[in-house]
Amino acid sequence: MTSTTDRNDVTAMTGPTGPTGPTHPTDRTDLTVLGETMASLTPDHIGPLRHARGLGLSVAGSESTVAIGAARLGHRAAWIGRVGDDELGRTVLNRLRGENLLVHAVTDPEAPTGLMLKERPAAGHSRVHYYRAGSAGSRLHPDDLPGPLLERTRVLHTTGITLALSDSARTTAHEAMRRTRAAGGTVSFDLNHRARLWSKDTARAALTAVLPLVDLLFASVDEAVMVTGRPDLTPAQTGQQLLSHGPGTVVLTDGAAGAVCITADRTIPVAAVPVQAVDPVGAGDAFVAGCLSGFLAGLTTEEALARAAAVAALCVASEGDWEGLPEPDRLPQAAHRPGTVLR
């Protein structure tokens, strides 16, 4: 195995890049994400996959989608992960570098890069198939973690997907969270439950166990109920249940019904932005990217949530998990107002 950080990526983190770029090796990274990014194949037309005439090659990963979203909105973002020593792995690294991410990748010659196959059976609907068992990404190890990067990041973000990949990936995520918090950074976590990766009972236990290490928790209402085991509660009450395990802030999303942010002393609703969905995959990650961007930019909680809803809407209005993530000039003006910082 070899750990690789591209020369251009090192320059992007530590060298001069212009008036708004980093100027000193100890400058902090705004956001660092940890998780598996796969190669992704998508058919060239809508309908049964067996009738596809061609497949488009891209990349896909919950955590890297969040990082790309933050980078497009002007934040310095980094990705930590593993890929195979293969062409798909090189595709992943090239795409992430092309989105201006600092890439810290371990190239694993003993395991392949994971693969996602996306099916589009009807307009506005997608179905995904994963080929990631035994992948390089599932072999994340605590030794893969770059200490200096974690010590200099403002926010670390990872998800329940990383916890589900393997015991070593779970241990790596826990270690990254501990190191980030010890250095004064904030830990962001998305439950992101994937039923095909582990059983509900295993997921509930592992996700509950990680909550004491989390500062800012994201989840869909259904995922939150799966963890709490209390379908009788309102979203606000469910959020309070999750707060009791350690997070300081919980943000629950509910599709077209919008989202709600719960803290110890208040509950803040946010309406979804009406949009004609072209590709719904990636909506949750886009919401997280927009919300974290708002917090990093010093917006109020309400403004950060409004930015999150806008970013999610713009993302699902385009094909691809992350291709439609916006740059600042595509955001509504209201999503730029600075205010008080959440934390």
Side-chain angles (χ1 to χ4, degrees), residues 62 66 157-161 188-193 207 214 216-220 223 284-285 288:
S62 175
V66 172
H157 178 76
T158 190
T159 75
I161 298 172
S188 166
F189 186 81
D190 190 337
L191 291 184
N192 240 338
H193 176 56
L207 293 170
V214 175
L216 174 58
L217 178 67
F218 294 93
S220 69
E223 290 167 339
D285 298 322
V288 172

Side-chain angles (χ1 to χ4, degrees), residues 15-48:
T17 60
T20 61
T23 59
H24 193 277
T26 59
D27 281 353
R28 300 191 78 180
T29 300
D30 292 322
L31 174 68
T32 298
V33 302
L34 171 73
E36 180 176 37
T37 299
M38 304 163 287
S40 173
L41 295 175
T42 305
D44 58 4
H45 76 292
I46 296 171

Side-chain angles (χ1 to χ4, degrees), residues 229-252:
R230 294 290 305 274
D232 56 308
L233 301 180
T234 66
Q237 292 169 329
T238 299
Q240 290 294 335
Q241 286 263 310
L242 294 170
L243 287 178
S244 70
H245 291 282
T249 302
V250 173
V251 180
L252 300 182

Side-chain angles (χ1 to χ4, degrees), residues 1 4 11 25 33 45-46 49 68 75 82-83 130 133 147 169 192-193 211 221 243 248 256 263-264 277 324 326:
M1 288 176 292
T4 61
T11 301
V33 302
H45 76 292
I46 296 171
L49 183 62
I68 290 170
H75 305 286
R82 276 195 185 211
V83 295
Y130 297 112
N192 240 338
H193 176 56
L211 294 182
V221 170
L243 287 178
T263 65

Side-chain angles (χ1 to χ4, degrees), residues 179-221:
R179 291 191 195 180
T180 298
R181 296 187 95 193
T186 295
V187 171
S188 166
F189 186 81
D190 190 337
L191 291 184
N192 240 338
H193 176 56
R194 295 291 185 270
R196 282 174 286 180
L197 294 178
W198 51 0
S199 71
K200 185 176 292 186
D201 288 343
T202 301
R204 182 182 296 114
L207 293 170
T208 302
V210 82
L211 294 182
L213 296 173
V214 175
D215 299 300
L216 174 58
L217 178 67
F218 294 93
S220 69
V221 170

